[in-house]
Amino acid sequence: MPSWNIHTAHVERLLGEESPESLGICHVDDFLFGNLVPDVYVGYMVTNPTRKIAYRDTHFSDPTFIPAPDASRFYNLYVRDKDANDVVLGAWTHLLCDHYYNLRTTGYIASIGVEPGEQTRIRKQADFDLFGRTLSISLVPRVTQRLVNLCADFPQYVVDEPDVYAAAQAQEAIVRKNQAQHVDGEPTYSLLNAAFFQSTYHEVCAVLREALLLHAAGAYAGDLGSIDS
């Protein structure tokens, strides 16, 4: 699945294309942090959270080989007809991003006849890590009392204050590593390829932009990121 360098790159691309106001975003730091929230308690990106929550509960998806989160369900529960704050909008954006990357990855692997399994998972994740390092990122969320309060009020589950700080620190380390180990040019991937990442990246950019613009305009955006996408 996309790691935080990829999620961050998509946030920075969104903000480079549209003003925060047009996307319904009030505070960029809070929105960026929301894009991290679904992974905080999974146990990978934040290594020592105060507790763990099952992936099926954080991402609305059974933990299959490459699960595609049901972002539409999250939208209908917590975004649609709600005064959704920046953290909630960010979490929805994260699930949309995961949904399309994972769905397209599953389709690509099937198209080349590769069987699911541990070695395929390792190759896939290595390729995602490599792709993430081709992207330039710089944003790290500032932890403010407002952000801490929004996380305490996160409607799906509470994000505790120590975990807010731990996630922000993990994000800072990821940004520094991505800058230090940035990959120029077109890398050689193990399982996927550059054309796959280019097409999927641009598709996800378009989906995220459309979703946020629709919601900000008061239109329904729940068809995006459904399990039937």
Side-chain angles (χ1 to χ4, degrees):
M1 68 180 67
S3 54
W4 286 1
N5 50 6
I6 298 175
H7 285 289
T8 304
H10 278 290
V11 170
E12 295 190 16
R13 175 71 176 263
L14 276 169
L15 297 172
E17 293 178 340
E18 302 287 344
S19 68
E21 294 78 15
S22 69
L23 299 169
I25 298 167
C26 297
H27 301 283
V28 169
D29 285 312
D30 301 346
F31 176 71
L32 173 62
F33 191 87
N35 276 266
L36 314 180
V37 162
D39 289 341
V40 168
Y41 289 119
V42 174
Y44 295 108
M45 306 306 294
V46 179
T47 54
N48 292 298
T50 59
R51 67 188 187 282
K52 291 187 179 181
I53 301 176
Y55 183 92
R56 64 171 54 88
D57 296 323
T58 59
H59 286 69
F60 291 114
S61 179
D62 288 333
T64 55
F65 174 59
I66 305 177
D70 191 348
S72 180
R73 184 179 172 199
F74 182 94
Y75 174 85
N76 287 315
L77 283 172
Y78 305 121
V79 182
R80 183 184 185 185
D81 301 327
K82 307 286 195 305
D83 186 17
N85 62 49
D86 293 321
V87 171
V88 174
L89 288 179
W92 175 44
T93 304
H94 174 110
L95 296 181
L96 281 167
C97 189
D98 278 7
H99 175 90
Y100 285 98
Y101 271 103
N102 290 4
L103 197 67
R104 299 298 176 249
T105 300
T106 298
Y108 179 85
I109 290 173
S111 75
I112 61 174
V114 173
E115 293 293 326
E118 182 62 12
Q119 287 304 311
T120 301
R121 185 196 67 79
I122 292 170
R123 292 173 66 195
K124 178 266 299 180
Q125 200 56 47
D127 284 352
F128 268 85
D129 292 341
L130 188 56
F131 170 66
R133 289 192 284 118
T134 70
L135 304 171
S136 296
I137 58 173
S138 62
L139 288 182
V140 177
R142 290 183 305 114
V143 177
T144 63
Q145 190 59 52
R146 181 189 61 246
L147 176 57
V148 170
N149 292 343
L150 290 177
C151 289
D153 291 336
F154 187 62
Q156 191 180 2
Y157 45 82
V158 172
V159 182
D160 294 320
E161 183 171 351
D163 300 314
V164 176
Y165 281 96
Q169 290 170 358
Q171 168 69 357
E172 183 175 10
I174 286 167
V175 169
R176 288 179 176 175
K177 180 179 179 181
N178 227 60
Q179 293 171 343
Q181 300 181 8
H182 182 76
V183 175
D184 294 316
E186 185 176 294
T188 300
Y189 295 106
S190 170
L191 177 65
L192 306 167
N193 60 37
F196 167 84
F197 280 115
Q198 182 178 29
S199 65
T200 306
Y201 175 77
H202 287 294
E203 178 188 14
V204 173
C205 285
V207 166
L208 300 185
R209 180 175 177 271
E210 178 185 5
L212 289 166
L213 288 173
L214 281 172
H215 179 69
Y220 180 67
D223 292 331
L224 297 165
S226 70
I227 57 174
D228 297 324
S229 295

